[in-house]
Amino acid sequence: MSPHRHSQRSDLLTEHPLGDVGQIVLAILFFSVWIADTFFLRYTTFLSSHVSLNLRIAIGVVNALVAAYLARTSMKIVFGETREPPQVIRESVFGIIRHPMYLSEILLYLSFLLFNPSLAAACVWVLAIAFFHIIATYEERQLLAHFGEDYRDYMQEVRMWLPSVSNRR
């Protein structure tokens, strides 16, 4: 989040300084590699012939729908209303995983890999996962510093990336 947006919304406390730029760079890199390898070069797309196209499309569409739901719902919650005073968000998808926006991007890339597997693009996807983990960890340290025990409790109740059926709520 840019400092400009930060100054307009005092309830939006933390975002890694390179978060927005990093996400843009990774999106451009991922889609450039995926498009180049899938449609032109075809150097690392040999996995496509080992899995049925219908199965890849079915799983990819379901995955993309989950990604869209996470993105839409989490953005609506975070950016849809101002919270004064700022507070830990625990509602909806934030009660299932702590970083639904970042997970939605990871799942979006995975959808494209399911549609047309590219090992080259999968390497960029793994890089993106590492990037999201780094910025999420940074943001969590900031949230812990600001909210203290309330955020620590949230971290104990809700997993960072993968939902758990045993989340305490």
Side-chain angles (χ1 to χ4, degrees), residues 6-82:
H6 241 322
S7 64
Q8 292 177 353
R9 292 277 310 267
S10 64
D11 63 320
L12 300 178
L13 300 172
T14 63
E15 189 169 271
H16 192 283
L18 299 177
D20 289 343
V21 170
Q23 289 177 71
I24 291 167
V25 168
L26 280 167
I28 291 169
L29 181 61
F30 176 84
F31 287 110
S32 297
V33 169
W34 184 80
I35 289 168
D37 194 32
T38 298
F39 298 107
F40 302 107
L41 304 173
R42 295 190 174 101
Y43 287 137
T44 66
T45 59
F46 54 87
L47 292 175
S48 295
S49 62
H50 297 293
V51 180
S52 155
L53 177 62
N54 290 336
L55 179 62
R56 288 185 285 129
I57 289 175
I59 295 170
V61 166
V62 169
N63 192 70
L65 290 171
V66 170
Y69 174 77
L70 288 173
R72 183 179 184 277
T73 304
S74 60
M75 285 194 270
K76 185 177 177 184
I77 291 168
V78 171
F79 300 113
E81 64 182 70
T82 302

Side-chain angles (χ1 to χ4, degrees), residues 106-117:
I106 291 168
L107 292 176
L108 175 66
Y109 297 161
L110 178 59
S111 296
F112 281 87
L113 290 172
L114 289 166
F115 295 142
N116 279 308

